[in-house]
Structures are given as structure tokens and as C-alpha cells.
């Protein structure tokens, strides 16, 4: 038995999102159907359009979602019909070697997600006209108003949390917050540089402030984003790393920042090298941004070794979805994390291409898609 959904599909690199009627399979063993109420319009979904993240196409977009469990398949134990949930764009099986060590963000069941199919190799979405199977971004597809996914990719949340802010914690907030707290290891009194303060970086600013940083320095060429960063925890904001360095040196005895978090939309090796040069001895650069392999990262091996610097990649803020999504929402409820202030504009599904045009124009801190039912 199939139900129907309406969602935004990307068919080819460089194309526009197309809103289509979709057929949706019933949830299988260990799977749930979610009535999606809201979806974050994350830059990662735009990477499908630009080709910066290689995926098999077509795909139903969207991985930041919040909604209500509408149906459950056989063997579901974590969730029940009527539960409010946020999606987890990375699964957490709970039993692999990585999950057992508290590293759900690299769970083994995340392998092969670029195809958009479930672990059994089949799709849950299909074209409502041709019947062709269609994959889903991160095995989710929150740009559709209904989706089917594994119970390992849905986290129960409190019923009183608005869906339009809960969805943001599914990726952007957790990734940004964790990139500072977990990835860069920010500590009290640190001087932290956050390079790129869009939907992810703005939460690295919040995370660094939460961790006790004395100086959170935001770097972004867009004036609007610099202004918002100052509202959400940054002490100073500059257009470039070069512009920021006189202040950083003035508060670190010329040593450089303790940490740098790279959260630009698309990164290249030169920018990573600039961030690496901006940190002190034993400092850490945490790279969150997606980029290409060429032309490489032009850092000096001598500088890496003699100054004992750290360069690391960070995935989902090195967070554990089952623990950290509820924890971040608890911070929100207690006033320690700002979520309402992140949402610049809400869009309908039919406005999805307008939303990404606004993102590229630097008009949004975060856009949110509100589904109709």
C-alpha cells in the first residue's frame, strides 16, 4: 500500500527544484512515516544543485525536519504514533563500534547514503506519474510533506517545541554548536575565530560563547551576517581574516587565535590554510565546510609540526543525535540557545527556489519551509 506526498525534487546538477506529486511506500521493518511540518533550507541541499556534494540524482531534497510520527512499521521500539520528532540526518544504530564509543556521527549505517535509498537498497519515494524510484537526501527527504525513514533517523522531542525551530537542530544548529564545543574544543577564556557566519557558523558563535570563550570573532564578507553574529554572541566581526588579525593579535600577545572554525558555504584549501596561519601554537582549526580536493591545502608541514597545530574535520558537530538534539532543545527552552532569532523568513514548498536565491543573495540567516497538509 502506498500513500502520497508532495515534495521538491532535484533531477540534475545545475537544475531547479521541481515540486512534484510523489508516491510513498508504507514503512517497513524498523521504519516510521513522518508527517513533516517544517524543514530547514540548509546549504547542504543546495550542494546537490551545485554538484559540490556528489549524489545519485534524482533526489527528494531536505534533511532538516520536524514533524509527527504518522505510522510505524514492524519492530519499531523507539517511537510511537503521535510522537513529535526531529530528523537526524545521520543514523544512530546504537550497536556498531562507533556508536558504542559515543561517536554516533560516524555510525556505520551511514555508508552509502549518497544514493538516497534505504539500507535494503530500495527507495521509499517514487514518481507519482512514472513510478520511477526516487532517492531521498540523507534517506530523509524533508522537502516532502510526508516521508518514510528508519527509526534510527528520528529523535523524539517535547511536544511544546515549535516545529519551525525544532527542524533547525536536525543539522545546522547541532553542526555549528558542536563544531565549536566538540570539534574545536573551545574552553573558557579562549579567543575563537568563526569564519563564515551563515546558518551553521552563527551557531558556532553561540556554541563558542556557551563554552566560555572570552573573544568570539566572526568573519564574513556579508554585512548583514556580521550584524547578526554580533547579536548572537560575537564580540567583534570583520569581513576577512586579514581584517580580524590585528584585534586577535592584540588580545593574544601576538600568538593568534586559540581556535578557528571554518563554516563557509563552500571552502577551498587556501582558506583553510589562512585559518591555519591564524591560530597559535597548539591551536585547532575545525573544518566543517564542504569543498573540492583541488588544489589541496597549502600548509607548511614545518608549521604543523614545530607549532604542534591541529587541523581536523568535523561532521555534524561531532554530536550524538539521540543525546544532543534533545539537549540543545532543552537549552532553547531554558533561554541558553537562541533559535527563534535564527529564522529570517518562512517559505511554502512552491517557494523553494526563491528561498535558495535569497540564501545566495545573503538575505537569510536561516530560511524555513513550512509544509501544508
Amino acid at each position: 500500500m502506498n500513500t502520497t506526498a508532495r515534495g521538491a525534487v532535484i533531477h540534475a546538477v545545475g537544475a531547479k527544484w521541481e515540486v512534484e506529486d510523489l508516491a510513498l511506500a508504507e514503512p517497513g521493518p524498523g521504519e516510521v512515516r513522518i508527517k513533516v511540518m517544517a524543514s530547514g533550507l540548509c546549504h547542504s541541499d543546495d550542494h546537490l544543485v551545485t554538484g559540490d556534494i556528489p549524489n545519485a540524482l534524482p533526489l527528494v531534497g531536505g534533511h532538516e525536519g520536524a514533524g509527527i510520527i504518522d505510522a510505524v512499521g514492524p519492530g519499531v521500539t523507539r517511537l510511537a504514533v503521535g510522537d513529535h520528532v526531529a530528523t537526524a540526518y545521520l543514523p544512530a544504530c546504537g550497536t556498531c563500534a562507533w556508536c558504542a564509543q559515543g561517536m554516533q556521527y560516524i555510525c556505520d549505517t551511514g555508508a552509502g547514503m549518497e544514493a538516497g535509498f534505504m539500507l535494503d537498497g530500495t527507495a521509499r519515494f517514487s514518481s507519482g506519474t512514472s513510478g520511477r524510484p526516487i532517492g531521498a537526501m540523507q534517506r530523509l527527504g524533508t522537502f516532502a510533506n510526508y516521508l518514510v525513514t528508519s527509526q534510527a533517523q528520528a529523535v523524539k522531542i517535547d511536544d511544546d517545541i515549535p516545529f519551525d525551530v525544532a527542524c533547525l537542530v536536525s543539522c545546522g544548529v547541532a553542526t555549528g554548536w558542536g563544531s565549536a564545543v566538540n570539534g574545536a574544543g573551545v574552553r573558557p577564556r579562549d579567543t575563537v575565530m568563526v569564519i563564515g557566519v551563515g546558518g551553521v557558523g552563527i551557531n558556532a558563535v553561540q556554541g563558542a560563547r556557551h563554552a566560555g570563550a572570552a573573544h568570539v570573532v566572526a568573519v564574513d564578507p556579508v554585512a548583514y551576517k556580521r550584524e547578526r553574529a554580533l547579536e548572537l554572541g560575537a564580540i567583534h566581526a570583520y569581513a576577512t581574516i586579514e581584517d580580524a588579525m590585528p584585534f586577535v593579535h592584540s588580545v593574544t600577545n601576538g600568538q593568534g587565535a586559540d581556535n578557528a572554525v571554518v563554516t563557509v558555504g563552500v571552502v577551498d584549501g587556501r582558506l583553510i590554510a589562512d585559518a591555519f596561519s591564524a591560530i597559535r601554537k597548539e591551536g585547532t582549526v575545525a573544518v566543517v565546510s564542504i569543498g573540492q580536493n583541488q588544489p589541496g591545502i597549502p600548509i607548511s608541514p614545518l608549521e604543523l609540526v614545530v607549532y604542534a597545530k591541529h587541523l581536523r574535520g568535523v561532521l555534524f558537530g561531532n554530536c550524538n543525535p539521540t543525546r544532543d538534539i534533545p539537549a540543545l532543545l532543552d537549552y532553547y527552552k531554558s533561554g541558553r540557545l537562541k533559535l527563534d532569532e535564527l529564522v529570517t523568513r518562512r517559505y511554502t514548498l512552491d517557494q523553494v527556489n526563491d528561498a535558495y536565491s535569497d540564501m545566495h543573495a545573503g538575505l537569510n540567516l536561516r530560511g524555513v519551509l513550512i509544509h501544508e497538509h
Side-chain angles (χ1 to χ4, degrees):
M1 178 180 178
N2 285 358
T3 188
T4 58
R6 190 166 182 265
V9 180
I10 186 70
H11 287 272
V13 172
K16 295 287 188 181
W17 293 99
E18 297 183 21
V19 176
E20 303 178 12
D21 292 325
L22 303 163
L24 182 64
E26 290 293 307
E31 296 175 358
V32 297
R33 186 170 69 220
I34 302 174
K35 179 181 181 181
V36 185
M37 305 303 292
S39 175
L41 293 154
C42 183
H43 202 142
S44 294
D45 296 285
D46 188 64
H47 289 318
L48 301 177
V49 177
T50 61
D52 291 312
I53 296 180
N55 276 83
L57 301 178
L59 279 182
V60 179
H63 61 286
E64 289 186 343
I68 303 168
I69 298 295
D70 183 67
V72 299
V76 170
T77 58
R78 300 187 187 183
L79 299 161
V81 171
D83 284 348
H84 288 206
V85 295
T87 57
Y89 88 87
L90 294 171
C93 75
T95 58
C96 72
W98 307 109
C99 286
Q101 297 177 76
M103 292 184 280
Q104 293 178 350
Y105 52 92
I106 49 173
C107 175
D108 278 340
T109 57
M113 296 192 79
E114 66 279 359
F117 294 163
M118 302 299 286
L119 286 173
D120 64 3
T122 62
R124 296 298 173 264
F125 289 110
S126 58
S127 168
T129 54
S130 69
R132 176 188 180 185
I134 299 177
M137 176 67 164
Q138 300 298 122
R139 301 190 185 123
L140 290 167
T142 61
F143 288 178
N145 58 355
Y146 287 90
L147 65 84
V148 169
T149 192
S150 168
Q151 64 176 338
Q153 289 192 247
V155 178
K156 190 177 186 304
I157 63 174
D158 293 342
D159 290 356
D160 60 348
I161 298 173
F163 294 115
D164 60 348
V165 295
C167 67
L168 301 181
V169 182
S170 296
C171 174
V173 172
T175 298
W177 180 280
S179 67
V181 176
N182 302 322
V186 176
R187 296 182 295 180
R189 300 183 64 189
D190 274 0
T191 295
V192 183
M193 184 180 295
V194 179
I195 304 164
V197 286
V200 173
I202 198 67
N203 295 295
V205 168
Q206 293 204 77
R209 190 67 180 271
H210 170 86
H215 304 285
V216 182
V217 180
V219 175
D220 199 291
V222 179
Y224 169 71
K225 293 180 181 179
R226 296 197 301 272
E227 292 167 6
R228 297 306 307 278
L230 293 170
E231 295 170 7
L232 289 164
I235 303 301
H236 296 276
Y238 300 92
T240 67
I241 294 174
E242 183 180 9
D243 290 345
M245 290 314 296
F247 171 76
V248 170
H249 284 144
S250 74
V251 295
T252 62
N253 193 32
Q255 295 289 306
D258 298 287
N259 330 89
V261 183
V262 180
T263 45
V264 296
V266 179
V267 74
D268 61 28
R270 180 69 262 169
L271 182 63
I272 295 172
D274 290 344
F276 191 78
S277 296
I279 61 171
R280 61 163 169 80
K281 294 176 286 187
E282 275 285 355
T284 298
V285 174
V287 181
V288 182
S289 308
I290 295 295
Q292 300 301 316
N293 295 331
Q294 298 299 329
I297 305 174
I299 64 173
S300 162
L302 182 65
E303 183 180 357
L304 174 68
V305 174
V306 173
Y307 290 159
K309 292 186 176 185
H310 305 261
L311 174 63
R312 66 175 306 181
V314 180
L315 181 65
F316 189 56
N318 291 6
C319 288
N320 293 297
T322 57
R323 179 195 67 187
D324 292 326
I325 286 176
L328 288 166
L329 291 172
D330 283 344
Y331 286 151
Y332 164 69
K333 291 174 70 173
S334 66
R336 298 166 65 189
L337 173 64
K338 295 182 179 180
L339 296 181
D340 299 286
E341 294 85 350
L342 299 179
V343 181
T344 310
R345 184 178 171 189
R346 294 163 177 82
Y347 299 85
T348 67
L349 179 60
D350 291 320
Q351 294 173 314
V352 62
N353 289 303
D354 296 333
Y356 279 107
S357 293
D358 288 347
M359 185 198 75
H360 284 294
L363 301 177
N364 280 352
L365 198 56
R366 283 310 308 265
V368 173
L369 188 156
I370 305 298
H371 280 296
E372 297 177 352
H373 293 278

